[in-house]
């Protein structure tokens, strides 16, 4: 029985339009496979905002990147369950790619904690507890898969835990060019609000909050900034972005930026908490203890 066969795998379709047989993956040139769109910020992408994103993402790398995406999505969605063996030869045959592409793709997935390769055992899917859940690719795969609601809740709770503190630490510590960029971002958000442009608003929102984390003077928070920025762009929604474009949201962002510029950490923290609690579609707004 095929180790990759799974009846719920429906993302791809055969080139000739014929349906795949039960329990089989579709077979056609991998380059023709449809891939989900990846939102990108079209504005100024500063060196600061790129911190933490370059070394973990598998996007834009041809067949290798596409195979990582396909296998990663299958693992995260549960199509390939824990301890499932992955046979390189079969993967190459199924997806019509070379052994080199398969080998490099599995190495990337291993670095993300999704699979493990051991002598005399082979490559197997690892349980969720072993995954690097802060990896931008895994965040994206979860955000577009069956775990989307859980991913958004967890991201919101992470933001609630770290961003108010980051705002307090960042107050008065930003370079002049970074502070100017924050001001520019609030202007972009104001314009997007006037145009009812959710995409631009969310992208500017993501960059602004990433910059605040990087200004905090804490290297661990700085590392999380790229992850949060990426996550906000791929899994945006009321549980992750601050709010739909509105004058009240823009005003709170301006309050935050002003507090950072004047060195008022208390005001910066308060503005951040206000931003994170403005979620009319989420009840309760503030994370509460959950029963286990």
């Amino acid at each position: 029985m095929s180790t990759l066969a799974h009846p719920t795998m429906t993302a791809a379709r055969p080139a000739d339009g014929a349906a795949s047989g039960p329990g089989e993956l579709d077979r056609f040139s991998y380059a023709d496979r449809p891939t989900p769109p990846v939102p990108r910020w079209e504005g100024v992408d500063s060196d600061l905002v790129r911190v933490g994103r370059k070394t973990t993402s598998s996007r834009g790398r041809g067949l290798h990147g596409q195979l990582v995406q396909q296998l990663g999505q299958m693992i995260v969605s549960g199509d390939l369950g824990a301890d499932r063996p992955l046979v390189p030869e079969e993967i190459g045959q199924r997806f019509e790619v070379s052994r080199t592409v398969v080998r490099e793709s599995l190495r990337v997935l291993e670095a993300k904690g999704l699979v493990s390769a051991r002598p005399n055992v082979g490559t197997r899917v690892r349980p969720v507890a072993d995954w690097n859940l802060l990896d931008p690719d895994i965040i994206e795969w979860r955000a577009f898969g069956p775990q989307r609601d859980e991913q958004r809740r967890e991201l919101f709770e992470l933001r609630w835990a770290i961003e108010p503190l980051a705002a307090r630490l960042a107050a008065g510590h930003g370079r002049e060019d970074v502070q100017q960029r924050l001001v520019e971002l609030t202007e972009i958000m104001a314009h997007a609000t006037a145009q009812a442009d959710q995409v631009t608003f969310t992208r500017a929102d993501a960059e602004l909050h990433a910059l605040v984390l990087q200004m905090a003077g804490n290297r661990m928070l700085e590392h999380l900034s790229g992850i949060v920025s990426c996550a906000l762009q791929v899994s945006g929604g009321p549980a992750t972005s601050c709010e739909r474009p509105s004058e009240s949201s823009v005003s709170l962002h301006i309050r935050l930026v002003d507090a950072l510029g004047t060195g008022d950490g208390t005001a910066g923290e308060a503005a951040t908490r206000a931003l994170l609690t403005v979620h009319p579609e989420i009840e309760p707004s503030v994370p509460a203890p959950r029963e286990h």
Side-chain angles (χ1 to χ4, degrees):
M1 179 177 179
S2 169
T3 59
L4 288 181
H6 196 284
T8 63
M9 182 60 193
T10 58
R13 291 290 179 268
D16 59 4
S20 300
E24 294 183 351
L25 285 174
D26 306 317
R27 297 192 56 173
F28 63 97
S29 174
Y30 200 90
D32 296 332
R33 291 179 180 271
T35 56
V38 179
R40 297 181 62 85
W41 170 235
E42 300 298 336
V44 177
D45 193 8
S46 67
D47 291 337
L48 284 173
V49 175
R50 289 195 294 268
V51 171
R53 291 198 310 205
K54 291 190 277 190
T55 59
T56 53
S57 178
S58 62
R59 305 183 191 101
R61 299 182 186 175
L63 294 178
H64 162 250
Q66 292 180 44
L67 184 57
V68 169
Q69 288 278 324
Q70 183 74 8
L71 292 177
Q73 289 170 351
M74 292 174 69
I75 293 171
V76 170
S77 69
D79 287 341
L80 295 176
D83 207 37
R84 176 73 66 87
L86 299 177
V87 181
E89 293 78 10
E90 181 182 340
I91 295 174
Q93 184 179 34
R94 291 283 182 178
F95 294 103
E96 300 180 2
V97 294
S98 69
R99 285 181 291 181
T100 300
V101 170
V102 174
R103 183 169 59 251
E104 293 303 316
S105 298
L106 291 178
R107 286 178 180 174
V108 171
L109 294 175
E110 185 173 16
K112 296 176 185 295
L114 294 177
V115 304
S116 62
R118 292 181 293 174
N120 303 320
V121 176
T123 302
R124 290 181 175 271
V125 176
R126 300 174 70 174
V128 177
D130 294 338
W131 299 356
N132 178 8
L133 296 178
L134 294 181
D135 182 280
D137 283 333
I138 294 180
I139 290 173
E140 176 182 331
W141 298 333
R142 294 183 74 205
F144 288 109
Q147 302 175 33
R148 63 177 64 87
D149 292 338
E150 183 178 2
Q151 170 66 89
R152 289 173 177 173
R153 173 185 58 76
E154 291 175 352
L155 178 58
F156 174 64
E157 292 174 350
L158 174 66
R159 295 187 64 197
W160 179 264
I162 66 175
E163 289 197 51
L165 171 62
R168 175 179 285 276
L169 295 174
H173 294 156
R175 300 195 314 259
E176 183 177 348
D177 60 330
V178 178
Q179 184 66 29
Q180 180 57 40
R181 179 57 180 166
L182 291 173
V183 173
E184 292 174 356
L185 289 169
T186 60
E187 294 172 350
I188 292 172
M189 295 172 74
H191 184 265
T193 297
Q195 300 296 318
D197 185 349
Q198 174 74 58
V199 173
T200 298
F201 183 94
T202 298
R203 291 171 177 173
D205 179 34
E207 182 178 342
L208 187 151
H209 287 272
L211 285 175
V212 173
L213 287 167
Q214 292 166 38
M215 291 167 58
N218 182 304
R219 292 183 179 179
M220 297 185 73
L221 290 175
E222 180 179 338
H223 178 73
L224 291 174
S225 66
I227 296 169
V228 170
S229 177
C230 175
L232 285 171
Q233 294 184 60
V234 301
S235 60
T240 51
S241 59
C242 284
E243 190 186 10
R244 289 195 180 96
S246 70
E247 292 183 3
S248 62
S249 179
V250 173
S251 295
L252 285 172
H253 281 89
I254 293 174
R255 279 175 49 191
L256 169 60
V257 172
D258 287 346
L260 297 182
T262 59
D264 191 339
T266 300
E269 180 178 0
T272 302
R273 291 196 183 279
L275 282 168
L276 292 175
T277 55
V278 180
H279 295 289
E281 296 183 7
I282 297 180
E283 295 293 343
S285 296
V286 180
R290 298 188 305 277
E291 295 183 0
H292 297 282

